[in-house]
Amino acid sequence: MEGISHFITTFIDSFDLFIVAMFWTIAVTVCAFSIALVFGLFFGFLKVSKIKPLMWISDFYVWIIRGTPLVVQIFVLFYGLTNIVLIPTFWAVTIGLAFHVGGYLTEIIRGSIESIDDGQMEAGRSLGMSASLTMRRIILPQAFRRAIPSLGNQFIIALKDSALASFIGMQELFGVANLEGSTNFDFMTYLLIVSVYYLFIVYVFTFFVKILEKRLKVSN
């Protein structure tokens, strides 16, 4: 009982700190995921273009992402960029995370587009629509619906990966837990507290993704 009481007391006392940290965690994840979508769409289109040099560029990007750890990518981008231009830690982490997530979104978007029957494109062209218009009006809306579960899953992974931002000094959820744990010599309590915040965010996000999935079911 004493342990539970200590956890609750610490949770309440550190509430203000973790609320601010939660804001930064969500902010860096949302910004990174938005930029990653641009990366994913761009390289995903290159992959389905059927033009060999463009497909090789996309394959090379995905190979780099899959073959190197995220923490290495963040460090390379952070120290590499800061050697060229002074960049805030927030944006260094955001760009690094976006670059990483974009690689996985590339494969998700490619798979979703290729899952649409070729007849859809032929039908659009037979109606006099251009290939790009057919892609925007017919193919992409259906591909997006099919990709929602995978996109939601990738967002959650990005949320948890954002904890690596603490390695370059950003005070997001894990960074604050690490700092408070070392200051108070009580790592376990703060790690349990930060786990509650992550679980809460993931639960809320998963709830909204399920609603979106129901409203945008392919059968609809």
Side-chain angles (χ1 to χ4, degrees):
M1 289 298 292
E2 184 179 344
I4 296 175
S5 175
H6 173 67
F7 174 81
I8 294 173
T9 303
T10 309
F11 187 95
I12 294 172
D13 290 343
S14 60
F15 183 75
D16 291 344
L17 280 174
F18 279 104
I19 284 295
V20 174
M22 186 168 71
F23 166 79
W24 286 114
T25 293
I26 294 173
V28 76
T29 305
V30 170
C31 290
F33 197 80
S34 301
I35 298 171
L37 270 177
V38 177
F39 280 124
L41 282 169
F42 177 73
F43 288 103
F45 282 137
L46 294 189
K47 273 212 161 190
V48 298
S49 67
K50 309 301 181 188
I51 301 173
K52 290 289 183 185
L54 299 182
M55 294 171 69
W56 291 339
I57 293 172
S58 182
D59 286 340
F60 180 73
Y61 169 60
V62 173
W63 176 65
I64 291 291
I65 295 302
R66 283 177 169 170
T68 56
L70 172 58
V71 65
V72 174
Q73 295 163 16
I74 289 177
F75 275 31
V76 168
L77 281 168
F78 177 68
Y79 291 110
L81 287 174
T82 49
N83 279 333
I84 301 170
V85 60
L86 188 60
I87 182 170
T89 304
F90 175 84
W91 286 111
V93 173
T94 298
I95 294 169
L97 194 57
F99 187 73
H100 177 81
V101 177
Y104 292 96
L105 294 190
T106 296
E107 288 298 316
I108 292 172
I109 290 168
R110 177 197 60 78
S112 301
I113 292 175
E114 289 182 345
S115 72
I116 306 300
D117 190 85
D118 292 340
Q120 300 279 336
M121 176 60 79
E122 294 169 4
R125 298 305 300 274
S126 67
L127 292 173
M129 299 169 73
S130 66
S132 62
L133 187 59
T134 305
M135 181 63 76
R136 290 201 308 273
R137 294 279 180 84
I138 298 177
I139 306 297
L140 280 182
Q142 296 179 74
F144 176 72
R145 289 179 175 187
R146 293 186 179 182
I148 288 175
S150 300
L151 292 175
N153 190 49
Q154 197 59 51
F155 182 90
I156 291 172
I157 293 172
L159 174 78
K160 292 185 286 185
D161 283 346
S162 68
L164 293 174
S166 63
F167 290 171
I168 57 175
M170 184 174 171
Q171 294 302 302
E172 42 64 64
L173 276 175
F174 182 72
V176 168
N178 194 32
L179 180 64
E180 291 299 309
S182 60
T183 303
N184 297 288
F185 302 102
D186 190 8
F187 278 109
M188 184 53 68
T189 301
Y190 285 97
L191 288 176
L192 290 174
I193 288 173
V194 80
S195 298
V196 171
Y197 281 95
Y198 278 117
L199 287 169
F200 171 74
I201 297 170
V202 170
Y203 175 79
V204 171
F205 178 75
T206 304
F207 176 76
F208 283 111
V209 169
K210 284 184 178 177
I211 292 176
L212 192 62
E213 281 183 39
K214 286 181 181 176
R215 291 191 175 183
L216 297 178
K217 280 177 69 175
V218 176
S219 58
N220 292 334

